[in-house]
Amino acid sequence: MVLSQKGNKYYVQPEKGKVLLDAALKQSQDVDYKCRKGTCGKCAVTVESGKDWLMPPSEREQSRLKEQVNKGVRLACQAVTR
């Protein structure tokens, strides 16, 4: 998968059943984050490719990101891989 955040690109190999942030950090990708609860929004990333690897957005993601979800933005701490 290819993610972008604040002008940086991250290449993450999806890990089934893991949240995107955990997979990225495990793979030494320096994704910015803070609360890990889905409330601050600091871990928001745009999924450039590999959207099919992710489960649909959770209620928490939809509530926090609103219309951005339709533009491929996800919360890395909440987005679960298939």
Side-chain angles (χ1 to χ4, degrees), residues 9-12 21 23-32:
K9 285 209 186 282
Y10 303 99
Y11 301 89
V12 178
L21 179 61
L25 295 175
K26 183 178 173 185
Q27 296 169 38
S28 301
Q29 300 296 313
D30 195 23
V31 174
D32 196 15

Side-chain angles (χ1 to χ4, degrees), residues 53-66:
W53 286 99
L54 297 174
M55 299 293 284
S58 67
E59 244 180 70
R60 182 168 282 172
E61 279 186 279
Q62 291 176 356
S63 172
R64 178 74 177 116
L65 297 172
K66 301 189 183 348

Side-chain angles (χ1 to χ4, degrees), residues 19-74:
V19 293
L20 197 51
L21 179 61
D22 290 342
L25 295 175
K26 183 178 173 185
Q27 296 169 38
S28 301
Q29 300 296 313
D30 195 23
V31 174
D32 196 15
Y33 69 98
K34 185 176 181 182
C35 74
R36 298 182 76 96
K37 298 176 190 170
T39 55
C40 74
K42 193 166 188 170
C43 69
V45 295
T46 301
V47 180
E48 303 285 339
S49 69
K51 291 177 182 138
D52 293 340
W53 286 99
L54 297 174
M55 299 293 284
S58 67
E59 244 180 70
R60 182 168 282 172
E61 279 186 279
Q62 291 176 356
S63 172
R64 178 74 177 116
L65 297 172
K66 301 189 183 348
E67 293 301 315
Q68 290 180 318
V69 170
N70 298 330
K71 298 175 184 172
V73 177
R74 300 291 302 266

